[in-house]
Amino acid sequence: MMNPPRFATYLLHWFCPPHRAEELEGDLDELFQQRIREFGLRQARWRYVRDVVSLLRPSLMRRDKACLVSANTNNTYPKPTNTTMLRNYLKIAFRNLVKNKAYSAINIGGLSIGMGVAMLIGLWVYDELSFDKQIPKYDRIARIRRVATEPSTGISQGTDACQIPMATMLKAKYASYFKHILIGFWPGNYMVADGQKKYTQKGQFIEGGVIDMLSLQMVHGSQTALDDPHSIILSNTAAEAIFGQTDPVGKRLKLDNRMDVTVTGIYADLPKNSTYSDLQFFAPWALWVSSNDWVKASENDWGRSSFPIDVQIADNTSMETVNAAINDFYQKNSPPDFVSGARDYKVETYLYPMRQWHLYSEFTDGRPSGGRITFVWLFGIVGGFVLLLACINFMNLSTARSEKRAKEVGIRKAVGSVKSQLVNQFLSESFLVVSLAFAGSLGLVLLSLPWFNELADKAIAFPWQMPSFWLASVLFLTVTALLAGLYPAFYLSSFQPIKVLKGTIRMGRLASLPRQVLVVVQFTVSVVLIIGVLLVYKQIQYVKNRPVGYERAGLLSIPMNDPNYKGKEEVLQRELMATGVVDQVAYSSSPLTSVWNNIGGFEWDNKPPKAESGFAVMDISTNFGRMAGWQFVAGRDFSKAFATDSGAVIINETAARYLGLKKRNGQWVVGAYIRQPDFHWKRQIIGVIKDMVMDSPFEPVKRSFYFLDATYGAAARLNLRLKPTVSAQDALPSIESVIRKTVPSALFTYSFVDQDFAAKFSTEQRIGKLALVFAVLAIFISCLGIFGLASFVAEQRTKEIGVRKVLGASVLNLWGLLSRDFIILVGIAFSIATPIAYYTLTNWLQKYAYRTELSWWIFAVSGAGSLMITLLTVSFQSIKAALMNPVKSLRSE
Amino acid sequence: MKGTYLGEFEEVVLLAVAIRAGDAYGAAVVNEIELQMERTVNLGAVHSALNRLQEKGLVSSEMGGMTAERGGRRKRLYTVTAYGRRVLEEVRQLRNQMWDAIPRTAWS
């Protein structure tokens, strides 16, 4: 070990010019030996490295000063020829780029855009794939789900809503499989009050193990911060929002004005791409139990499936093992009457692992089947294609241009270049251009990242420090440079110099064939993208125009987030009407824009034995129908005039069809009864309304029942319709003051129904926008490509055009001549693209129950559009060429 | 002094070459400077200074004979040229001249 560090010596050899190596190495070695004696080995090695690094300076690395240093001796170390040639290649490459500025700009710009798009999409895909991965135990966390198959219909359905006794039983009997079994309630918005200050914060009630399971970084407080039943832990953001700079620990808060809690901990915010990132607090499960009677009542109730159970499996086991163990959980552990049901329905219990939560959030037959992963694939493919387009451009233009350099090749060969040198030259040129394009794409990505983040609702940072990103980039650079450089490299270097220089070489017709194929590929992709984007927009527009069954404008929804609303409903209604800004007031058990309650077990006359008996249910106050603007197709609305209405039900048309209601003169006949044997009541149908879209507008409307809730027992939403003559800005303050006066403890929040409804399109709209951007870029890149090719062709045929003009060809003739080739190519591309687009897009549309059709005009528009774009692009060049003075083009020889 | 600018470190290196007359090579100059100034210097700094001095013509160099202690490698031996000597003297003279010009009252 008395040697200097080997890597330092290698480094020295690598950069040191040969004529200096001997003396420098000698000096280093001598000093090293001397320092071992004086300071010891460690010091000596350290100083050795420092010295080597300090020698790394340009003045000592220069090779061409060899003669100066040893002026008195002969220069025994000539400059290495390979670097000289490399430098020459670079110089020639730069000169070529500068000489053909437009062509270089198209080439580098197009490739930059393509790479930039691919990079953005790559980052997006990476972000999607790494969702939740920052949680250290991500691989071992899961949610309990079960799937049941109805014996009569064979339809399987799944749920992640479990019973409290299930958690109890898991802890008692299956403890060895799990590290944590945490029962909780669904995350929701709660009113958090610090004295008089009130905030709406999203949070979850869950058992205290969540701190360890999610590995929350506790800024204040310990791992046991949630053990006390009146504790709460806040995220850093929430703590700052509520308490500002003061120390929050030990402060008291009130949740929904009924649960008292003390802040016992603050945790660092979770990264944005995680399931839990939008939660601002966790509160103990025990508090939720003690402050909700219905939860307390269901502690031993196997019939109440309302709670999520999250688990972390034990360290020494695997998901498969645990899945196998809990598969027959219900058959083994539930009460006897449940066991038979579980057997009949073949209930299977399984773990829904965290790694699937984000990307596989849709279920078919009760098992995770897909979801966002579709978009990951879709965009991945689009990104790949855009990149492919850019590469095709690049190859086309480089090969087209390279034929112009046949003379250069001839001269180089005549002077003595061998084939391998020419290959090297063209490859290094293509490396240079690709590297420039890469630098450009980095710039583009950095510029567009904030905008992209906003569009895609992401917080993606540029991965400067991720080695795999750079590795992928380098790999990609190499592949593109090789692909684009190989053809000219090998083709051109095979020329016979004598033929080239004599000018007898002619590029045959076949030479342009690969180029034409590539143009066809390019336009096929572009046309498919255009058709796809048009269809996405058509579908969104179609669903937006779907009749929703009620009037959205001016509807306001206020969550009743305080127990003190109870008993004040009538007063509030009177006071609100008295303000003069409100047209109608009504209460409901859920907002107009979602279904909260699905109840099964209904019976009705002539019910087929195998029929599903679940319906969406909403409890409403008397004038809800008037408020919403219901359109009755039969029967009447609830009315205070009929005392019997509390035993009545209004149904929608879907339900009417499903119940098999009779029709007379094309009108539904009301008056039939629905029964609920489990609760021993029946209700009479008094009205049928047009379907009201409450859930996803892309789905069919659920069959629904509307019950009259005369006592406001289930009221959870206060719905207002503003007078059309009053603007929202004027109305809101008076509404707020009424609520503040009547229910002082409540936090006043509201949402407009039309905005809530519009939010249902956000995913589709986001996808549509992204697809539009990518399609436009793809088309732009393709156009750049044919623009470059057209200019090349026009230039090649300058003489021909001159001769034709002299012989009497008109500008129109020439324009047609030059444009025709491209039009044919685009035509071929279109005929290939149509079936591809038709097939894939029909498949995509199947996803939506409420869907538009793939009409012929979409194809016509995209075909005509791509032809137009092509013509415009090509015409610029062809008209320019056709207008040229033949004297000029023929004179130069 | 007009033609050649001599940096502080260059002056030190030039002086060290002069001190080690006949046996002035990279490592020796490093040792000499460390001995005289009681501070560590990097080999790279010394070599680059020597290089500059040579370009300015203040020192000349020649490859020396092989020595066993350097693993049989040769040294590049530097000697101060006549011009180098004159520059050094000029620097010293200039210093003295400026010292003499300091008025006595400046120190009180």
Side-chain angles (χ1 to χ4, degrees):
Chain A
M1 274 301 284
M2 295 296 261
N3 290 325
R6 202 176 303 162
F7 78 90
T9 318
Y10 279 135
L11 185 64
L12 181 76
H13 280 279
W14 174 68
F15 72 77
C16 185
H19 64 270
R20 284 196 184 272
E22 187 173 5
E23 44 167 320
L24 292 183
E25 239 178 285
D27 281 351
L28 280 167
D29 204 38
E30 188 180 333
L31 286 171
F32 180 68
Q33 299 301 342
Q34 175 195 333
R35 281 169 185 157
I36 291 178
R37 288 192 299 275
E38 285 175 30
F39 309 109
L41 185 64
R42 253 181 78 86
Q43 269 286 329
R45 287 168 68 91
W46 167 232
R47 290 285 306 269
Y48 185 90
V49 175
R50 251 178 56 186
D51 278 343
V52 170
V53 173
S54 77
L55 285 167
L56 235 170
R57 55 179 83 201
S59 66
L60 296 178
M61 278 159 73
R62 284 211 307 253
R63 283 152 201 262
D64 49 346
K65 286 288 176 78
C67 14
L68 203 158
V69 170
S70 47
N72 41 0
T73 56
N74 276 333
N75 184 359
T76 42
Y77 303 102
K79 288 184 280 185
T81 42
N82 52 349
T83 61
T84 314
M85 280 316 284
L86 275 178
R87 251 180 286 139
N88 176 270
Y89 297 157
L90 284 181
K91 192 181 279 173
I92 298 293
F94 264 118
R95 283 179 184 169
N96 261 315
L97 288 181
V98 175
K99 189 177 155 207
N100 308 304
K101 285 191 192 69
Y103 149 81
S104 313
I106 290 175
N107 213 353
I108 298 177
L111 193 58
S112 289
I113 294 175
M115 282 172 144
V117 168
M119 234 182 259
L120 277 183
I121 293 182
L123 290 175
W124 184 82
V125 167
Y126 178 80
D127 190 77
E128 285 288 313
L129 293 180
S130 62
F131 204 86
D132 275 339
K133 276 191 184 158
Q134 281 99 333
I135 295 171
K137 286 152 201 158
Y138 141 93
D139 267 341
R140 320 199 66 78
I141 299 175
R143 173 162 287 189
I144 304 264
R145 287 188 69 94
R146 66 172 183 273
V147 53
T149 310
E150 190 146 334
S152 52
T153 58
I155 296 170
S156 298
Q157 280 189 317
T159 178
D160 56 349
C162 299
Q163 306 93 333
I164 304 180
M166 180 182 195
T168 320
M169 199 57 92
L170 279 173
K171 285 176 194 167
K173 287 200 176 169
Y174 295 82
S176 62
Y177 292 106
F178 298 104
K179 191 160 181 208
H180 292 294
I181 301 167
L182 308 176
I183 191 158
F185 197 64
W186 314 99
N189 284 321
Y190 296 90
M191 183 180 82
V192 179
D194 169 32
Q196 286 307 306
K197 288 187 288 172
K198 292 166 189 146
Y199 309 86
T200 305
Q201 297 284 8
K202 194 171 183 187
Q204 190 180 14
F205 287 87
I206 191 167
E207 288 179 288
V210 71
I211 300 178
D212 181 58
M213 185 175 87
L214 299 181
S215 310
L216 296 181
Q217 300 294 313
M218 300 302 286
V219 183
H220 294 290
S222 65
Q223 295 288 313
T224 57
L226 275 180
D227 286 3
D228 182 85
H230 285 279
S231 55
I232 187 171
I233 57 171
L234 300 172
S235 75
N236 231 341
T237 314
E240 255 166 47
I242 298 174
F243 299 108
Q245 294 306 313
T246 53
D247 181 19
V249 176
K251 289 270 171 46
R252 297 179 155 277
L253 291 174
K254 211 165 177 143
L255 294 180
D256 271 4
N257 217 9
R258 61 198 180 96
M259 295 173 266
D260 287 299
V261 287
T262 307
V263 179
T264 51
I266 306 294
Y267 63 92
D269 287 348
L270 287 157
K272 182 164 162 70
N273 63 345
S274 112
T275 312
Y276 293 91
S277 64
D278 58 342
L279 293 192
Q280 300 302 339
F281 71 83
F282 290 97
W285 167 247
L287 177 63
W288 187 247
V289 177
S290 64
S291 34
N292 289 284
D293 291 337
W294 68 272
V295 181
K296 219 179 293 171
S298 37
E299 270 194 301
N300 293 306
D301 184 358
W302 283 89
R304 177 72 91 156
S305 291
S306 296
F307 310 94
I309 301 179
D310 292 324
V311 297
Q312 181 189 334
I313 60 171
D315 292 338
N316 54 2
T317 184
S318 68
M319 288 279 179
E320 290 75 30
T321 323
V322 181
N323 261 332
I326 64 167
N327 187 278
D328 54 355
F329 173 86
Y330 282 99
Q331 286 82 337
K332 278 187 181 163
N333 299 290
S334 55
D337 51 326
F338 258 78
V339 170
S340 61
R343 289 220 181 93
D344 292 346
Y345 279 75
K346 298 197 194 70
V347 175
E348 288 186 67
T349 312
Y350 67 94
L351 298 174
Y352 175 40
M354 185 179 237
R355 86 182 106 82
Q356 293 191 336
W357 288 2
H358 180 64
L359 291 175
Y360 298 86
S361 57
E362 287 168 13
F363 295 84
T364 38
D365 297 335
R367 299 270 180 186
S369 62
R372 282 185 83 92
I373 189 76
T374 330
F375 293 129
V376 171
W377 275 110
L378 186 77
F379 280 127
I381 291 169
V382 170
F385 272 121
V386 171
L387 193 55
L388 179 74
L389 294 188
C391 287
I392 287 176
N393 255 352
F394 182 66
M395 285 158 74
N396 267 348
L397 291 177
S398 330
T399 49
R401 281 283 147 182
S402 60
E403 284 173 12
K404 298 203 70 167
R405 296 177 61 183
K407 284 232 165 69
E408 181 191 335
V409 173
I411 291 180
R412 276 183 187 273
K413 278 200 159 180
V415 167
S417 271
V418 291
K419 189 170 171 173
S420 70
Q421 282 178 318
L422 287 165
V423 170
N424 276 342
Q425 180 192 351
F426 284 108
L427 284 184
S428 58
E429 233 169 75
S430 115
F431 263 103
L432 174 78
V433 176
V434 174
S435 308
L436 284 177
F438 181 69
S441 70
L442 283 185
L444 281 180
V445 169
L446 285 179
L447 277 179
S448 58
L449 204 53
W451 165 85
F452 181 75
N453 272 336
E454 198 176 316
L455 186 62
D457 191 26
K458 289 272 177 202
I460 301 173
F462 196 82
W464 292 112
Q465 282 155 3
M466 201 164 72
S468 51
F469 169 78
W470 296 110
L471 197 71
S473 301
V474 169
L475 204 71
F476 171 75
L477 279 186
T478 319
V479 171
T480 320
L482 282 181
L483 273 182
L486 276 182
Y487 171 76
F490 283 96
Y491 178 60
L492 290 178
S493 61
S494 63
F495 287 160
Q496 286 184 324
I498 197 157
K499 278 190 187 164
V500 179
L501 292 176
K502 259 170 78 185
T504 54
I505 197 149
R506 281 262 67 89
M507 312 292 171
R509 218 174 145 64
L510 280 180
S512 60
L513 187 68
R515 257 197 314 274
Q516 287 169 342
V517 171
L518 290 178
V519 169
V520 168
V521 172
Q522 243 179 353
F523 268 83
T524 307
V525 175
S526 302
V527 171
V528 170
L529 281 175
I530 300 178
I531 297 176
V533 169
L534 282 178
L535 185 69
V536 170
Y537 273 84
K538 188 174 176 232
Q539 165 73 2
I540 293 176
Q541 212 48 50
Y542 181 69
V543 179
K544 270 190 173 168
N545 293 335
R546 179 180 187 176
V548 290
Y550 65 96
E551 188 53 51
R552 272 168 300 184
L555 267 191
L556 206 63
S557 173
I558 299 172
M560 296 159 77
N561 50 10
D562 192 290
N564 295 326
Y565 275 106
K566 278 273 157 297
K568 302 257 178 70
E569 290 89 355
E570 307 257 332
V571 185
L572 199 55
Q573 190 166 349
R574 273 198 303 278
E575 294 274 325
L576 283 169
M577 295 300 287
T579 56
V581 296
V582 177
D583 195 26
Q584 293 283 347
V585 181
Y587 294 93
S588 59
S589 61
S590 53
L592 276 150
T593 45
S594 59
V595 173
W596 281 4
N597 207 357
N598 288 296
I599 298 182
F602 288 103
E603 301 279 340
W604 58 92
D605 294 339
N606 305 323
K607 179 186 178 190
K610 286 181 180 177
E612 281 266 329
S613 62
F615 288 80
V617 171
M618 191 168 173
D619 297 283
I620 55 175
S621 65
T622 327
N623 50 346
F624 184 86
R626 272 193 298 285
M627 191 273 314
W630 270 353
Q631 295 150 334
F632 279 84
V633 291
R636 60 171 180 86
D637 199 352
F638 292 125
S639 163
K640 286 221 164 83
F642 298 87
T644 50
D645 272 2
S646 54
V649 58
I650 291 175
I651 63 175
N652 64 4
E653 270 193 293
T654 307
R657 272 192 296 277
Y658 193 74
L659 295 175
L661 242 55
K662 288 199 183 60
K663 270 191 168 181
R664 191 179 301 140
N665 302 334
Q667 282 260 326
W668 299 107
V669 179
V670 296
Y673 283 89
I674 54 161
R675 293 180 296 279
Q676 180 58 276
D678 293 356
F679 303 111
H680 312 293
W681 56 246
K682 60 178 187 175
R683 280 173 191 260
Q684 188 176 28
I685 300 170
I686 59 162
V688 181
I689 57 162
K690 273 200 174 158
D691 282 347
M692 188 164 103
V693 179
M694 296 169 73
D695 261 358
S696 166
F698 297 97
E699 297 296 317
V701 172
K702 283 188 177 152
R703 43 180 189 268
S704 316
F705 291 157
Y706 301 93
F707 296 159
L708 179 63
D709 179 26
T711 58
Y712 310 109
R717 285 279 168 155
L718 170 59
N719 306 288
L720 305 173
R721 173 165 318 269
L722 304 180
K723 281 206 170 130
T725 49
V726 183
S727 75
Q729 287 97 318
D730 298 338
L732 281 170
S734 38
I735 294 169
E736 184 174 1
S737 71
V738 168
I739 291 185
R740 284 210 188 289
K741 198 178 73 190
T742 322
V743 193
S745 54
L747 169 67
F748 177 70
T749 58
Y750 63 90
S751 62
F752 285 100
V753 171
D754 48 358
Q755 286 168 7
D756 290 347
F757 188 79
K760 291 175 187 291
F761 295 93
S762 63
T763 310
E764 271 70 21
Q765 239 152 2
R766 191 158 282 149
I767 299 294
K769 268 188 205 154
L770 282 175
L772 178 68
V773 170
F774 294 142
V776 166
L777 286 175
I779 294 157
F780 178 69
I781 291 172
S782 307
C783 284
L784 275 186
I786 54 167
F787 185 80
L789 278 185
S791 72
F792 169 70
V793 170
E795 206 178 309
Q796 237 185 1
R797 297 170 79 172
T798 315
K799 288 258 156 60
E800 181 195 332
I801 292 165
V803 172
R804 279 175 190 273
K805 271 196 109 168
V806 168
L807 294 178
S810 70
V811 171
L812 198 67
N813 270 343
L814 292 173
W815 174 71
L817 175 81
L818 288 171
S819 308
R820 199 180 52 220
D821 286 353
F822 289 99
I823 298 296
I824 292 173
L825 291 184
V826 173
I828 297 174
F830 180 69
S831 60
I832 299 175
T834 310
I836 297 177
Y838 183 81
Y839 178 72
T840 47
L841 294 173
T842 315
N843 272 350
W844 177 74
L845 269 183
Q846 295 302 323
K847 212 172 80 127
Y848 299 102
Y850 189 79
R851 57 176 178 259
T852 178
E853 77 276 20
L854 196 52
S855 26
W856 62 271
W857 65 260
I858 292 189
F859 292 95
V861 165
S862 34
S866 46
L867 265 186
M868 280 283 282
I869 295 174
T870 317
L871 265 183
L872 279 177
T873 318
V874 176
S875 294
F876 180 77
Q877 292 293 344
S878 48
I879 292 177
K880 198 171 102 183
L883 286 177
M884 206 141 56
N885 188 348
V887 174
K888 271 187 189 156
S889 49
L890 291 177
R891 192 176 52 188
S892 63
E893 181 76 322
Chain B
M1 197 53 211
K2 249 176 231 156
T4 316
Y5 171 74
L6 201 55
E8 191 241 16
F9 190 68
E10 282 171 2
E11 187 186 342
V12 170
V13 171
L14 191 52
L15 285 168
V17 172
I19 295 172
R20 288 286 181 122
D23 190 30
Y25 56 98
V29 172
V30 169
N31 280 329
E32 190 58 42
I33 296 175
E34 290 189 348
L35 186 75
Q36 295 277 347
M37 306 189 63
E38 290 177 4
R39 65 166 217 206
T40 59
V41 284
N42 286 332
L43 187 63
V46 168
H47 268 285
S48 120
L50 284 172
N51 205 30
R52 281 199 303 277
L53 290 174
Q54 181 159 9
E55 279 174 32
K56 289 176 185 172
L58 301 177
V59 295
S60 62
S61 73
E62 201 171 1
M63 294 305 281
M66 295 182 196
T67 44
E69 73 207 70
R70 291 161 67 95
R73 296 189 195 88
R74 293 183 300 167
K75 306 166 181 172
R76 180 177 295 279
L77 295 172
Y78 290 85
T79 40
V80 181
T81 59
Y83 174 53
R85 190 192 151 100
R86 210 170 66 234
V87 169
L88 271 179
E89 276 169 358
E90 269 174 26
V91 169
R92 187 177 185 180
Q93 205 189 331
L94 188 72
R95 291 270 156 83
N96 286 342
Q97 196 181 311
M98 290 177 78
W99 270 104
D100 293 343
I102 300 174
R104 276 176 200 287
T105 50
W107 302 114
S108 55

